[in-house]
Amino acid sequence: MFESKRRALIFITLSFILAAIAGLMFFNTYADLNENLGQTTEIYIADKNIPSRESISSEHVRTMQIPNRFITDAHILSLNQLEDQVSIVPLLEGDILTTSMLRPYSDVTEEGNRLVKLFSEWDNVHFDQNLEALDRVDIVVSQSTEEGPETEIFMRDIPVANVETNEEGNPNVTLEVAVEEAPSLIHVQNYADSVRVLKANSGKDQDNLETAENTQSTNRDKE
C-alpha cells in the first residue's frame, strides 16, 4: 500500500516537473516569437475602390495591424497624412496606401490647367474606346453652321485626369485642359451636335481621327 502511494507521489511530482518544463519552453518560444515580430502598428488601407485623382477621405479607408518590423516610412500611419491627398493610381479595396502613390490635390493639375468632366449620359457625347486615368484623348466635334454641318478635330492629346462609373455603369471622364480652353470644351459639350472622344494611342490616333471624320462625312452625304 505504501509502495503504491510512493509511486503515485513520484508520478505526480514528475508530472508537475514536466508541466513546468513545458510551460517554460512555451514561454521561451512565445518570447522569441514576440521578439521577432515585435509590437503591431495600425496602417491605412483602402476600404473601397478609389478612382485615381479622387480626393481621399476617412470614408475611403480603414486600418489594419501589421508587425512593427514591417513598418516603413512609406506606410500611412495617420489620417492627417491623407488630408488633401489623391492617389495617382486606381486603388482596389484592401490595397495598402503608401506615400509613393499619393500626391497633394493641388499638384494634380499643372498651374493654369482646369479639370472638365464629360458626361457619357449626355446624348451628344460618345466615347469610342474604354478610357483610364492617365490616358490621352483627341476630341472630334460635329455641329451645324451657316454653311452646313461641319466636323473638325477640336482638341488633340488631352490628358485624362479621372474616369468614374455612374449608376448606369457608363463612364464620366474628367479631362485636364488649359484654363483658356475650358470654356470652349464646356460650350461644345453643351451645344455641339456630337462630341466624339477618341483614345490617342501612339501611332493610331490619326487613323482614329480620320475614321471619325469619314464617318461623319458619310452621314452628311446620306442626309
Side-chain angles (χ1 to χ4, degrees), residues 6-7 30 33-34 42 67 76 80 87 100 111 116 118 139 142-143 151 160 166 170 179 201 204-205 217:
R6 187 173 67 83
R7 290 179 178 178
Y30 175 80
L33 182 63
N34 190 58
E42 288 185 345
I76 303 300
N80 292 333
S87 174
S100 61
E111 184 178 358
V116 178
L118 299 182
I139 299 175
S142 297
Q143 52 192 341
T151 297
V160 176
N166 59 24
N170 299 317
V179 64
N201 291 327
K204 299 180 181 180
D205 55 326
S217 298

Side-chain angles (χ1 to χ4, degrees), residues 68-77 81 97-100:
N68 286 349
R69 65 175 300 187
F70 299 122
I71 294 293
T72 68
D73 293 338
H75 287 107
I76 303 300
L77 307 181
Q81 293 177 262
L97 276 70
T98 61
T99 56
S100 61

